[in-house]
Amino acid sequence: HCEILNLAVGGYMLTQMFGIAMEKAPAFHPDVYVIAVTDRTGNPVWAKYLAKLVQDGQNLRYDVLREIVAKAGVKKTDSSATAQEKLAPYQVSAMHAIFLELKAHAERQSAKLVVFFVPSLQEEAVIDASYSPVRESLQGTGIPIIDASTTFSNVDHDKYRLDWFDQHPNVMGHQMIADNLYRKLRENPEAWADLTGETETSQSVR
């Protein structure tokens, strides 16, 4: 038996997910934090939200965000384009620091952290390029990763899209992602144990 709380907000980048995990999720005393990383997470616009906070003179609240901005030399007077250009070289190191802080945040609550890769329906080369910086940023963190990014490889994308112009999955597409995530979870004893509390897993589940 488990309770799943979905605190996701459409279009949020990792910097915004970080804020939700730090500020809102603890009130529910979660046993596991699941960060759903989409192919948008590694997109070049990852820093747009952070740049806007600086421009608006907002309190960055967390040391990890302050350090990223300080290293990049972003100033309130910078244009959005300039701020994002300054932050661009720090994408991997910034995400790495955020993931480590999320892991430490979960551990302080005796909770676990698992990362899911959840794709949209785009060309494989585009998906790979989008996830590349995310994969690099997770190296050395010890965070279990359930990678369903290849869910739509070698399938007719139009069949599983909401519409021909919409890269989001339809009901059948979501079912494919769910099945793939479950399969990958069962193949990963560490992640399965973190997510379910069970210490044994079957390696033969299809």
Side-chain angles (χ1 to χ4, degrees):
H1 298 282
C2 67
E3 182 179 33
I4 298 173
L5 301 176
N6 183 0
L7 301 182
V9 178
Y12 264 24
M13 306 302 290
L14 184 61
T15 46
Q16 294 161 291
M17 297 180 203
F18 176 70
I20 294 291
M22 298 295 287
E23 296 175 20
K24 294 188 177 181
F28 301 98
H29 307 289
D31 296 307
V32 185
Y33 284 80
V34 177
I35 302 296
V37 173
T38 69
D39 40 89
R40 190 171 184 271
T41 306
N43 192 286
V45 300
W46 72 276
K48 187 175 182 180
Y49 171 72
L50 196 53
K52 188 176 187 329
L53 289 180
V54 176
Q55 288 177 316
D56 292 346
Q58 297 290 321
N59 183 355
L60 297 180
R61 301 184 64 122
Y62 304 104
D63 288 342
V64 64
L65 299 184
R66 294 190 190 99
E67 289 170 8
I68 293 166
V69 168
K71 286 180 180 178
V74 179
K75 300 177 182 178
K76 184 177 179 180
T77 54
D78 290 335
S79 67
S80 180
T82 298
Q84 290 182 68
E85 185 176 348
K86 286 182 176 181
L87 286 162
Y90 298 92
Q91 181 178 17
V92 172
S93 60
M95 290 194 296
H96 181 79
I98 289 172
F99 279 124
L100 285 178
E101 184 56 37
L102 285 169
K103 182 183 180 184
H105 173 67
E107 290 174 346
R108 287 192 290 269
Q109 302 169 68
S110 300
K112 302 291 185 179
L113 174 67
V114 180
V115 172
F116 286 2
F117 284 6
V118 182
S120 61
L121 287 112
Q122 300 188 74
E123 295 302 321
E124 194 167 348
V126 175
I127 294 289
D128 287 342
S130 298
Y131 277 114
S132 179
V134 184
R135 290 192 176 97
E136 187 176 352
S137 72
L138 283 163
Q139 290 179 5
T141 62
I143 299 171
I145 303 167
I146 303 303
D147 187 351
S149 62
T150 59
T151 298
F152 301 114
S153 297
N154 303 315
V155 301
D156 180 1
H157 285 187
D158 289 339
K159 181 179 179 181
Y160 299 101
R161 283 178 170 173
L162 280 176
D163 212 324
W164 66 269
F165 56 84
D166 194 331
Q167 297 167 345
H168 292 88
N170 57 23
V171 172
M172 293 187 297
H174 278 293
Q175 185 64 63
M176 286 184 67
I177 293 173
D179 291 343
N180 200 11
L181 286 171
Y182 180 76
R183 182 168 56 251
K184 295 294 180 64
L185 267 170
R186 295 296 286 183
E187 293 171 352
N188 188 322
E190 179 185 6
W192 182 261
D194 286 348
L195 199 64
T196 68
E198 297 178 3
T199 56
E200 295 183 1
T201 185
S202 169
Q203 300 296 320
S204 59
V205 173
R206 296 180 180 179

